[in-house]
Amino acid sequence: MTDQLLSIGQIADRVGLSVSAVRYYDAIGLIQTRTRVSGKRRFDPDTVGRVNFVRRAQESGFSLEEISLILDDTAGGWRELVGAKLTELHERRDRLDVMISMLADVQSCGCQVVAGCDRYERPDPC
Amino acid sequence: MTDQLLSIGQIADRVGLSVSAVRYYDAIGLIQTRTRVSGKRRFDPDTVGRVNFVRRAQESGFSLEEISLILDDTAGGWRELVGAKLTELHERRDRLDVMISMLADVQSCGCQVVAGCDRYERPDPC
DNA sequence: CTACGACCTCATGTTGACTTGATGTCAAGG
DNA sequence: CCTTGACATCAAGTCAACATGAGGTCGTAG
């Protein structure tokens, strides 16, 4: 066994990120280097889970700064933040639904070019 | 009546964008200046609808370049593009749902700090 | 001994979607 | 006639989230 600490390359591999991205996360304090072995970073294994969370949160539109706040806030303020974000995500999903049906609508019309089609504005046929 | 063409300021007001943003859209060919009156841009009124579409599409994660393609492609390729985007949007919505339930889950746990909570990784309680 | 691969730092480049600043033009109102 | 406000151009700045490149350090394999 290689000790349970992970190198930056191992972290990168396990989460599907580049080494430089992981280094960046470290630099901005999103993750923490547990210790160094002759200058090289060694991470706690649970960093993998943390970074995976980061990636999922990013996909949902959170900035790295927001994610940092949510993950590490110890004052309890994160609950409020998460609540606000949830509202935002619900709105986002609603808009996404609108967009989806609108696109589906546009796609199923007979128009040659979308710019000339009114389905992207009104619900009536072209 | 002021003639039906709109100034850049009027466009900006109606879509809730800055004048410089509209100018930018013009510069990259996303919208078109119909004509100029002593150097000043005059737009077709339907530009408003077009820009509104642009904003909505942006909210759903399209880049301006993609939006341009979708709006103006005359070769019919846009249908395919829109189809691909629809698939993408569905995936996005699914991930959003996952994220929403995960966040809701995390929020409703008793943890002091999210980083120490495992709900963002597994479905079991903290 | 040397080469290699993985790591290091620090500085700078990249992309998208704008914004900001400097400087100039133009028509209308007082 | 002069000022004002809306417009114009062009260059450069901004922000996030990295990527890239130069130059140096390690430990190990051959």
Side-chain angles (χ1 to χ4, degrees):
Chain A
M1 291 187 184
T2 67
D3 186 75
Q4 58 200 15
L5 297 181
L6 303 174
S7 72
I8 195 170
Q10 290 173 316
I11 297 283
D13 282 353
R14 290 177 200 204
V15 300
L17 273 178
S18 69
V19 166
S20 77
V22 178
R23 204 136 45 202
Y24 175 72
Y25 284 5
D26 193 8
I28 64 173
L30 190 50
I31 59 176
Q32 285 203 340
T33 297
R34 179 62 125 197
T35 187
R36 297 253 186 170
V37 176
S38 70
K40 285 142 192 210
R41 293 170 178 85
R42 289 303 127 111
F43 296 94
D44 263 348
D46 61 11
T47 303
V48 173
R50 190 177 168 98
V51 177
N52 280 331
F53 176 83
V54 170
R55 299 306 278 171
R56 286 199 302 274
Q58 255 186 318
E59 275 176 358
S60 303
F62 291 80
S63 73
L64 294 184
E65 200 179 334
E66 285 172 329
I67 297 169
S68 232
L69 280 179
I70 289 175
L71 277 172
D72 297 321
D73 179 72
T74 53
W78 65 268
R79 264 171 223 284
E80 201 181 337
L81 218 157
V82 167
K85 270 298 158 181
L86 272 172
T87 308
E88 202 180 306
L89 291 196
H90 280 295
E91 281 167 12
R92 186 193 302 263
R93 197 185 52 172
D94 289 347
R95 284 197 306 260
L96 204 49
D97 282 342
V98 170
M99 196 70 199
I100 284 174
S101 69
M102 193 188 64
L103 277 187
D105 202 20
V106 166
Q107 196 190 31
S108 68
C109 83
C111 288
Q112 184 70 16
V113 57
V114 179
C117 172
D118 281 345
R119 288 204 184 177
Y120 73 81
E121 293 193 73
R122 335 171 207 156
D124 18 329
C126 301
Chain B
M1 290 185 187
T2 67
D3 185 73
Q4 58 198 15
L5 297 183
L6 303 175
S7 72
I8 194 169
Q10 290 174 315
I11 297 283
D13 283 352
R14 292 180 197 202
V15 300
L17 273 179
S18 69
V19 167
S20 73
V22 177
R23 203 136 46 202
Y24 175 72
Y25 284 6
D26 193 8
I28 64 172
L30 190 48
I31 59 176
Q32 284 203 342
T33 297
R34 178 62 126 198
T35 186
R36 297 258 184 165
V37 175
S38 70
K40 286 143 193 209
R41 293 169 177 84
R42 289 302 128 112
F43 296 93
D44 264 348
D46 61 10
T47 303
V48 172
R50 190 177 168 98
V51 177
N52 279 330
F53 176 83
V54 170
R55 300 306 277 173
R56 286 199 301 274
Q58 255 185 320
E59 275 177 356
S60 303
F62 292 80
S63 73
L64 294 185
E65 199 179 336
E66 284 173 329
I67 297 170
S68 232
L69 279 179
I70 289 175
L71 277 173
D72 297 320
D73 178 72
T74 53
W78 65 267
R79 262 171 223 285
E80 202 180 337
L81 216 157
V82 167
K85 269 300 159 180
L86 273 172
T87 307
E88 203 180 305
L89 292 196
H90 280 295
E91 282 167 12
R92 186 191 303 264
R93 196 185 50 174
D94 289 348
R95 283 197 306 257
L96 205 48
D97 283 340
V98 170
M99 196 69 200
I100 285 174
S101 68
M102 193 188 64
L103 277 187
D105 202 21
V106 166
Q107 197 191 30
S108 68
C109 82
C111 288
Q112 184 70 13
V113 57
V114 179
C117 172
D118 283 345
R119 286 204 185 176
Y120 73 83
E121 292 192 74
R122 336 173 205 152
D124 17 329
C126 300

